[in-house]
Amino acid sequence: MFAAATKNFVKQVGDGGRLVPVPSLSEADRYQPLSLVIKKRTCLLSKKSKFASTPFTLKDILQGEKEISAGVSSYQLLNYEDKSDVSLNGRRGNQIMNDVGFDVAGSDSVAFKASFGIVTKHEVEVPTLLKELTTRKINFDHCLVHQSRKSRMEILCVVMESIRTTRQCSLTVHTGMRGETMRFHFIEDQNCKGRDKAIVFPAHTTIAFSVFELYIHLDGNFELCVTPVSKGGFEKEKSGSSSLTKLRRLKSNLFHRNKRVVATVANSDAYLEDLFTDYYEKAASMTDLSTSYLREGSHIRINLLNNNIPKGPCVLCGMGSSKRETVYGCLECSFNGQKYVRLHAVPCFDLWHKRVK
């Protein structure tokens, strides 16, 4: 009943879509100015959100013990009395039946009577608050901040205004059948228990509120999203994102572009040898080693391209089909009838001649 009444109030008062109805009477005292609430998206692809109250205020998640001195202004908003009857047919009827909170079987309409009387609006002095928060930082060790940071679907928000009642209020709901000659006909049968329901709640009960989302930076600084287009949340770690991108790229190169590596992953020794070979090949490709390395005797590692010898796979490890193909080798050695061999700069050159010896 309370949820149905606050939803109807927000619908009639409006406020440009920023006003949110309080969903539960038991949590109404948690939607006070500077209280923290959590905005939850129903799913990743949906723009609809729900709000959940918390037992904390903005001061609780800030570093230091200094209180927030920004004031809260109050004024009378309106005198609210509402009487309406709604059909239970269709999608809206299903939602109303959930909000009413009791059995409406056998009825096709619900009549609401909400007597809130004069309601007041209480809002934080935003300019003063913004100046005060410029020197404050978020405490990432606070449990609420820590848990919200882990979730991709939760945003921390600060209640900036609340609308409250000023006197004891009543809500009455009647369920019945629409009459043929009357706009609404109540069922008066005393045996029909549960057809009428009324609740009374105390003065100063919050019935609606509005929030500013928090955008929290990695260094603890934060911003209040004062415009509707601004979005809250936590700043993403760039280093983590970059590492993730590199990891995905490496995975794609290893498991989708190089079939030979995929086939040899099962053999860890061969796989590690190929990784070291490829690493040294890349290192050698950035430096001209045609005359910088002399072995004992007449074996010299040279750049085969400088001797009009085309690229090709290394005779020792077999690698060389990628863009970084083997361009080094030895002219003093022969292999398969050729007067030269293609070898990576290191370590294949050394390993080849050790085996030859």
Side-chain angles (χ1 to χ4, degrees):
M1 291 178 61
F2 183 79
T6 56
K7 285 182 180 179
N8 202 35
F9 172 83
V10 169
K11 181 180 178 181
Q12 295 186 35
V13 174
D15 196 29
R18 295 188 68 103
L19 208 57
V20 181
V22 174
S24 171
L25 181 58
S26 62
E27 297 182 354
D29 59 336
R30 290 188 174 182
Y31 296 95
Q32 307 302 322
L34 296 181
S35 296
L36 291 176
V37 298
I38 297 177
K39 182 179 180 181
K40 298 181 178 180
R41 282 188 295 174
T42 54
C43 67
L44 289 174
L45 301 179
S46 175
K47 294 183 179 180
K48 294 183 179 181
S49 303
K50 293 184 178 181
F51 290 87
S53 64
T54 74
F56 304 106
T57 64
L58 178 59
K59 184 260 178 185
D60 294 331
I61 64 171
L62 298 180
Q63 297 179 6
E65 299 297 329
K66 184 179 179 180
E67 296 289 341
I68 296 177
S69 59
V72 177
S73 58
S74 304
Y75 58 90
Q76 291 185 3
L77 184 62
L78 52 83
N79 190 341
Y80 184 80
E81 302 285 341
D82 177 56
K83 296 180 181 180
S84 60
D85 63 302
V86 183
S87 173
L88 294 179
N89 297 324
R91 182 182 300 177
R92 187 185 178 194
N94 293 333
Q95 182 63 46
I96 291 174
M97 285 188 285
N98 293 331
D99 292 339
V100 167
F102 64 95
D103 186 17
V104 294
S107 304
D108 65 357
S109 300
V110 174
F112 291 96
K113 181 180 179 181
S115 178
F116 290 163
I118 296 176
V119 297
T120 54
K121 186 175 183 179
H122 306 260
E123 56 185 2
V124 180
E125 297 175 355
V126 177
T128 304
L129 179 64
L130 293 177
K131 291 180 181 179
E132 185 176 354
L133 295 180
T134 55
T135 59
R136 305 294 296 271
K137 289 189 175 184
I138 295 293
N139 177 16
F140 286 108
D141 294 330
H142 193 278
C143 60
L144 181 63
V145 179
H146 182 70
Q147 294 171 11
S148 300
R149 194 177 186 183
K150 291 183 178 181
S151 174
R152 297 175 55 190
M153 300 177 66
E154 294 183 357
I155 298 176
L156 287 177
C157 304
V158 182
V159 175
M160 299 304 294
E161 63 176 351
S162 63
I163 297 178
R164 307 176 197 168
T165 61
T166 57
R167 61 172 176 80
Q168 182 174 283
C169 303
S170 63
L171 295 175
T172 306
V173 178
H174 302 278
T175 61
M177 301 293 294
R178 288 183 182 272
E180 297 180 356
T181 59
M182 299 176 59
R183 179 172 178 268
F184 195 86
H185 174 66
F186 294 111
I187 297 178
E188 302 293 346
D189 189 353
Q190 296 181 355
N191 294 326
C192 297
K193 295 181 180 180
R195 298 293 182 177
D196 301 344
K197 189 174 183 180
I199 61 173
V200 177
F201 54 90
H204 310 298
T205 299
T206 303
I207 58 177
F209 64 96
S210 67
V211 301
F212 282 168
E213 296 181 8
L214 288 177
Y215 183 77
I216 302 174
H217 296 273
L218 295 174
D219 58 359
N221 290 314
F222 65 98
E223 304 172 17
L224 287 177
C225 301
V226 298
T227 62
V229 295
S230 302
K231 301 299 180 183
F234 290 86
E235 182 182 4
K236 296 181 180 179
E237 297 183 9
K238 296 181 180 180
S239 58
S241 177
S242 177
S243 300
L244 182 60
T245 301
K246 291 180 180 179
L247 182 60
R248 289 175 177 172
R249 188 179 302 168
L250 177 60
K251 180 180 178 181
S252 177
N253 291 337
L254 289 177
F255 294 95
H256 296 284
R257 298 181 184 179
N258 197 330
K259 296 182 180 180
R260 181 180 178 277
V261 174
V262 175
T264 58
V265 167
N267 189 336
S268 60
D269 293 336
Y271 180 63
L272 290 175
E273 183 178 353
D274 285 350
L275 282 182
F276 279 108
T277 301
D278 187 60
Y279 168 79
Y280 285 117
E281 178 190 8
K282 181 172 69 173
S285 66
M286 295 186 294
T287 309
D288 186 4
L289 300 175
S290 58
T291 59
S292 62
Y293 186 89
L294 298 178
R295 295 186 51 79
E296 295 181 2
S298 59
H299 295 283
I300 304 175
R301 182 176 59 207
I302 64 171
N303 189 324
L304 297 178
L305 294 180
N306 294 338
N307 291 269
N308 297 322
I309 297 176
K311 296 180 179 181
C314 176
V315 297
L316 183 61
C317 68
M319 296 186 67
S321 58
S322 62
K323 293 182 179 180
R324 301 189 306 273
E325 292 179 312
T326 302
V327 294
Y328 295 96
C330 179
L331 291 179
E332 303 299 326
C333 296
S334 61
F335 182 73
N336 287 340
Q338 295 180 345
K339 296 182 179 180
Y340 59 88
V341 292
R342 296 186 182 89
L343 297 166
H344 288 113
V346 284
C348 292
F349 190 86
D350 295 335
L351 294 176
W352 169 264
H353 289 95
K354 287 181 180 180
R355 294 182 182 182
V356 171
K357 291 181 180 180

